[in-house]
Amino acid sequence: MADELKFSEKEIREGAAFAAISYVSFLWLVAFILKKDNEFTHYHARQGLVIFILEILCFFFLAVPFLGILFYKIGEIILVIFSIYGAYSSLTGKLCRIPVVTNIASKLVV
């Protein structure tokens, strides 16, 4: 998906900051609301939404005895790394392909 999408410099410049904040918790919602017509922002906001949902799912691992905390910690570390990478990519005007996340996000209809 990322290889076939092209955005104008103006669209990237106007949406980069909102695309970056979409990787922080529930702030993907702000990107969807304030940048309704910016597809560059929506590309990153969809990935931010998927990461947010995965963070919630990681939280439920805490209910599993013994290994739950391990799965939670590993999952959260991986998702924080994904978020940092996504925010960096959006601020540099690039589309990032995050393993698993991009595949799920490309199927979302928002």
Side-chain angles (χ1 to χ4, degrees):
M1 179 178 169
D3 298 332
E4 58 199 43
L5 294 175
K6 302 287 183 205
F7 302 104
S8 69
E9 286 296 319
K10 181 182 179 209
E11 188 172 27
I12 292 170
R13 192 172 51 255
E14 289 176 355
F18 286 97
I21 67 164
S22 67
Y23 288 99
V24 179
S25 189
F26 63 89
L27 294 180
W28 53 267
L29 188 59
V30 173
F32 277 126
I33 292 171
L34 295 180
K35 290 294 184 181
K36 294 177 184 167
D37 299 329
N38 192 310
E39 284 302 315
F40 178 76
T41 301
H42 282 209
Y43 176 85
H44 287 284
R46 280 191 294 272
Q47 291 189 150
L49 168 60
V50 172
I51 290 172
F52 178 69
I53 292 169
L54 291 173
E55 287 172 346
I56 291 171
L57 291 176
C58 278
F59 179 74
F60 287 111
F61 274 116
L62 288 174
V64 178
F66 304 114
L67 292 177
I69 288 184
L70 178 67
F71 286 133
Y72 171 76
K73 292 287 185 185
I74 290 172
E76 285 298 314
I77 289 169
I78 290 169
L79 292 172
V80 165
I81 291 169
F82 285 172
S83 293
I84 292 169
Y85 174 63
Y88 173 77
S89 294
S90 64
L91 288 173
T92 57
K94 297 180 179 143
L95 300 177
C96 58
R97 293 200 50 82
I98 300 172
V100 179
V101 173
T102 302
N103 295 335
I104 296 169
S106 67
K107 295 176 180 132
L108 289 178
V109 178
V110 181

